[in-house]
Amino acid sequence: MSASTSGATTRPAARPTVLAGSAAIGEAMIAAGCRFFAGYPMTPFTEVLEHMAARLPEVGGVCVNAESESEAIGMAWGAAATGTPAATGSTGQGLSLMQESLAEIVHARLPLVVLNMARAQGDYHQATRGGGHGDYRHLVLAPCDVREAVELTGYAFHLAEYRRSPVLVMGDYYLAHTHVSVDVRPTDFGPLPPRDWALDGSSGGTGAAKLISPLSDRKQRHAGDRADAGYDLAEFYVRRGAALERMVAETEPRAETGFLADAEVVVIAYGTPALYVRQAVSDLRALGRRVGYVRPITLVPFPSDIVRAAAADARVVAVYENSGGQMVDDVRLAVLGAAPVRFIGRLSLDPSGFGIAPDLDVGAMRHRVEALFEPAHETPSR
Amino acid sequence: MSASEAGRDRDAPTPAGRRELPILTTTHQPPTCGARLVHDFTPDLIDVGAHHLCPGCGEPIAMRSMVEQVTELGQVNKAIAVFGIGCYTAYSNNLDIEVLQALHGRAPSLATGVKRCRPDTLVFTVQGDGDMVNEGLQEVLHTAARGENVTCLMLNNGVFGETGGHMTAATVLGQRTKNTLDGRDAARHGHPIRLANLIAELDGAAYVARGAVDNIVNITRTTRMIRNAFRTQLRGDGFSFVEILTMCPTGWFVDTAAAPAYLANTHAATHTLGVLKDTARAPGPHAAPEGTTAWPA
Ligand code: SF4
């Protein structure tokens, strides 16, 4: 595929422009080299798809309107296998349909960026534990605003290719629909390994034709003319397991922290709600409350060391999520009983999917955090 | 086959709608020395000749026809095969063709992604009826409807062979499988889906055919169908599809030697053989007319 650069350089996106979050993420994908996108409309992922459908052809790329989410990720899987930087995504339920393929793509070692423009935060377990089969992991990034989403989208393409693995970017409804002034341009995250694994048909007939499979990365040709010349699954899975472990261990966990120095109460939140938590915490600081916060930016790997350090001298650690409480598990694992961990979030089960709004109220959050200073919260809850 | 059957007009259709070649008498005497290999007929692109598939299985024959056509059309270093999941999956290891392994049913979507990014390659899927008609019906129908310029090959034996012989959506009425022990019954198990017929209805499909590998005539015809399907793709005409009826003596619980006749009398009676659609009309310079047994030059 020839990727024309003219579109990318002449578009206004190359300088600060007011864009909706979904368009900004789309531009960030294009700036990062994405030339294949497939998706199926589902609010609030829809606008990303619309943007890519309009923009990718202008830069020599391809956007396919898939007939379902499972086909969208299948198409992206095929595109990724050719070495084309590719992305797909959906919203919560759509991602559920994609999990089957996502699990296989991890084992097939293909770079792919997957967006979850989630409606609230109930997809945390889906994103970080996975809903697919088998023993797989992939990296997960969680921006809190449009500018960070632009940066992390570029980083996701870099990580995906560097690690030859899918990377999931957790966006949300607010992120998709907020208009901000952003400067989308390619960021250099460092050198990438060659794409010598990609399929183009040319290795056929050489005696070493390439294979991309969740079952193996090489054909067993040296067993001679024997019927047992099959895939060596055990050997492959051991290698894959070690590589996944290495990927998680070697990727730097990221988190934003604030007011931790003498914090008695530490609040942990990620994504859009973290902005409200940050405001509530700084309001309380202004009132003299010793409260701090940690905002995980990488959900996999989870910034456990940062959370553990923040909890070391705290009286109580609180987790805010716009869900029934899912990241709270990771926080408890990080804190390991050093301080009681309280969940102060709210369920978001609004079937319309737009229930994120009523709970995002700085005043309400401030009250919940303030309540943590009462003695009842000092006993461990676990 | 009896002498009277052998001597009948070879153009007269049998009840299953097939024609058979007459058996020729020979004056050769039994060999006086032991057998030895005089020539290895394994096609170039099959680099491990031995395989795990059962004796009498039709899938290796279909696979052979496929790789021979990749070679004959000069596509050896331009071909990307997308494999589904079934017994044939083991064969992805034996081929000296680039392979992308898909999940059950998803191969046409992967093929779409591959072809859109590498329009200069020959992209084809290899799937079974369980993979394609059960799990992946939506994917293949939409890929055909979009007119994706890829070729899908379906190895139809009417059972989930790999799981040990269970009913698929293509299993014919009356067929006994592990979960239709008294035979597939329309009232209880529904009717078989004739996939090639469904696909032929779609405007994006340019070439649709159904062949079989139960005898040399049908193998030759099937090979030509695969060739025409690949040529459809190479011309950029749109979606091409060849369904290939294959023997599964193991899954059918039928003697290996009886499996070709079982295929002809049961499967081919429901999934009838022939070219269902060829929008190119004008056959290329090497194509023999349909219905002849000549090997394409
Ligand atoms: S089970 Fe059937 S399809 Fe599978 S290898 Fe044996 S004969 Fe072939």
Side-chain angles (χ1 to χ4, degrees):
Chain A
M1 186 188 310
S2 62
S4 137
T5 50
S6 59
T9 50
T10 56
R11 293 287 294 200
R15 59 179 200 278
T17 309
V18 175
L19 288 175
S22 12
I25 289 172
E27 287 303 318
M29 290 197 284
I30 290 167
C34 177
R35 290 299 177 269
F36 186 92
F37 193 81
Y40 178 87
M42 185 170 183
T43 307
F45 168 75
T46 310
E47 290 85 352
V48 182
L49 175 60
E50 286 171 3
H51 191 81
M52 296 307 269
R55 283 283 285 128
L56 265 181
E58 295 179 10
V59 295
V62 175
C63 179
V64 189
N65 301 304
E67 284 71 22
S68 73
E69 287 86 350
S70 51
E71 291 183 274
I73 195 165
M75 292 171 185
W77 179 351
T82 67
T84 305
T88 184
S90 187
T91 298
Q93 295 95 319
L95 255 294
S96 298
L97 287 173
M98 294 181 167
Q99 295 294 320
E100 179 207 38
S101 292
L102 192 54
E104 296 279 299
I105 294 169
V106 169
H107 288 306
R109 292 204 66 197
L110 288 174
L112 182 66
V113 171
V114 181
L115 304 175
N116 184 355
M117 303 308 285
R119 290 171 176 178
Q121 295 193 309
D123 304 337
Y124 182 91
H125 278 161
Q126 182 197 57
T128 60
R129 270 57 175 170
H133 56 285
D135 198 1
Y136 77 101
R137 310 288 320 262
H138 55 66
L139 304 172
V140 183
L141 310 176
C144 69
D145 61 21
V146 177
R147 286 195 197 96
E148 192 177 59
V150 166
E151 186 211 324
L152 291 185
T153 300
Y155 184 47
F157 275 88
H158 172 82
L159 278 179
E161 186 139 351
Y162 188 75
R163 291 289 171 191
R164 276 181 65 188
S165 179
V167 176
L168 192 127
V169 178
M170 289 286 275
D172 63 35
Y173 191 79
Y174 280 171
L175 209 62
H177 291 173
T178 307
H179 283 69
V180 295
S181 166
V182 279
D183 181 1
V184 182
R185 62 181 69 192
T187 310
D188 184 5
F189 292 98
L192 288 169
R195 287 186 193 137
D196 51 6
W197 45 267
L199 301 184
D200 60 4
S202 66
S203 68
T206 61
K210 287 174 187 166
L211 168 76
I212 293 186
S213 166
L215 304 170
S216 183
D217 51 7
R218 54 180 174 235
K219 296 178 185 176
Q220 306 290 310
R221 289 200 175 75
H222 302 299
D225 199 31
R226 293 188 350 230
D228 60 356
Y231 296 127
D232 189 341
L233 283 177
E235 184 264 349
F236 178 65
Y237 285 153
V238 167
R239 264 193 298 123
R240 285 302 297 131
L244 289 174
E245 215 173 283
R246 215 166 40 240
M247 173 181 82
V248 176
E250 290 174 2
T251 304
E252 187 204 350
R254 287 199 195 179
E256 180 198 338
T257 58
F259 309 111
L260 286 179
D262 59 347
E264 280 176 51
V265 170
V266 173
V267 192
I268 322 265
Y270 75 97
T272 297
L275 301 181
Y276 294 76
V277 166
R278 188 166 67 191
Q279 188 59 46
V281 167
S282 72
D283 288 357
L284 287 168
R285 269 285 166 180
L287 298 173
R289 292 295 202 180
R290 289 165 59 191
V291 55
Y293 71 91
V294 178
R295 176 174 69 86
I297 297 170
T298 54
L299 301 184
V300 175
F302 191 74
S304 301
D305 291 349
I306 299 171
V307 170
R308 188 177 306 119
D313 298 320
R315 224 161 32 78
V316 58
V317 174
V319 179
Y320 181 88
E321 289 174 83
N322 194 220
S323 73
Q326 299 185 16
M327 183 178 70
V328 68
D329 295 358
D330 281 331
V331 173
R332 286 189 172 130
L333 285 170
V335 169
L336 280 178
V341 176
R342 304 280 173 206
F343 178 61
I344 58 163
R346 268 283 174 83
L347 218 54
S348 177
L349 294 176
D350 182 338
S352 74
F354 308 135
I356 190 167
D359 198 40
L360 292 185
D361 176 330
V362 176
M365 264 175 212
R366 208 161 45 216
H367 290 308
R368 285 186 218 168
V369 175
E370 221 166 1
L372 296 165
F373 286 92
E374 286 159 22
H377 287 285
E378 286 176 28
T379 32
S381 63
R382 299 171 68 246
Chain B
M1 190 184 291
S2 69
S4 63
E5 277 177 316
R8 73 161 185 257
D9 176 4
R10 58 177 287 238
D11 285 329
T14 62
R18 301 177 316 114
R19 281 172 298 192
E20 310 234 351
L21 285 174
I23 289 180
L24 303 176
T25 52
T26 174
T27 54
H28 286 302
Q29 297 301 310
T32 52
C33 60
R36 67 191 167 86
L37 182 69
V38 289
H39 186 80
D40 182 0
F41 288 97
T42 308
D44 285 350
L45 294 178
I46 295 182
D47 57 10
V48 180
H51 55 72
H52 282 289
L53 280 69
C54 308
C57 179
E59 292 184 345
I61 306 171
M63 211 72 73
R64 178 182 186 122
S65 292
M66 176 191 89
V67 300
E68 280 174 350
Q69 289 315 303
V70 171
T71 305
E72 289 200 16
L73 292 169
Q75 301 299 310
V76 171
N77 49 22
K78 284 186 183 164
I80 300 177
V82 185
F83 270 67
I85 306 280
C87 296
Y88 55 87
T89 304
Y91 231 92
S92 63
N93 189 46
N94 299 41
L95 303 184
D96 195 15
I97 291 177
E98 289 191 5
V99 170
L100 177 59
Q101 179 65 52
L103 268 168
H104 319 75
R106 313 285 167 248
S109 298
L110 273 69
T112 297
V114 171
K115 186 72 179 188
R116 293 285 190 111
C117 292
R118 297 232 181 256
D120 52 332
T121 52
L122 179 77
V123 180
F124 55 94
T125 71
V126 181
Q127 298 169 267
D129 50 309
D131 186 286
M132 201 182 222
V133 192
N134 287 63
E135 192 87 25
L137 184 61
Q138 163 168 315
E139 316 245 346
V140 69
L141 290 182
H142 282 290
T143 304
R146 286 195 307 272
E148 293 293 340
N149 200 31
V150 299
T151 303
C152 289
L153 304 174
M154 177 170 91
L155 311 176
N156 181 0
N157 55 24
V159 283
F160 286 102
E162 200 186 17
T163 61
H166 301 92
M167 188 192 92
T168 71
T171 300
V172 298
L173 294 180
Q175 188 180 339
R176 283 195 288 188
T177 71
K178 273 190 179 165
N179 48 351
T180 58
L181 291 175
D182 299 325
R184 183 175 187 168
D185 167 24
R188 282 191 293 158
H189 311 114
H191 293 270
I193 292 175
R194 294 183 185 88
L195 185 58
N197 304 57
L198 271 184
I199 290 175
E201 281 294 306
L202 300 170
D203 294 339
Y207 181 85
V208 180
R210 189 186 286 116
V213 293
D214 56 329
N215 60 37
I216 187 60
V217 177
N218 282 334
I219 293 170
T220 308
R221 284 180 181 155
T222 300
T223 305
R224 194 162 58 244
M225 289 168 176
I226 295 171
R227 181 185 186 84
N228 286 338
F230 284 169
R231 291 173 64 177
T232 300
Q233 183 185 158
L234 293 172
R235 283 193 305 267
D237 283 355
F239 186 77
S240 48
F241 179 72
V242 183
E243 178 177 329
I244 306 163
L245 305 189
T246 60
M247 292 77 74
C248 177
T250 308
W252 295 344
F253 310 103
V254 162
D255 282 352
T256 300
Y262 183 88
L263 184 156
N265 296 329
T266 57
H267 282 273
T270 295
H271 302 285
T272 50
L273 306 183
V275 176
L276 286 83
K277 188 177 193 179
D278 186 356
T279 53
R281 300 283 159 132
H286 302 299
E290 275 308 320
T292 66
T293 57
W295 188 265

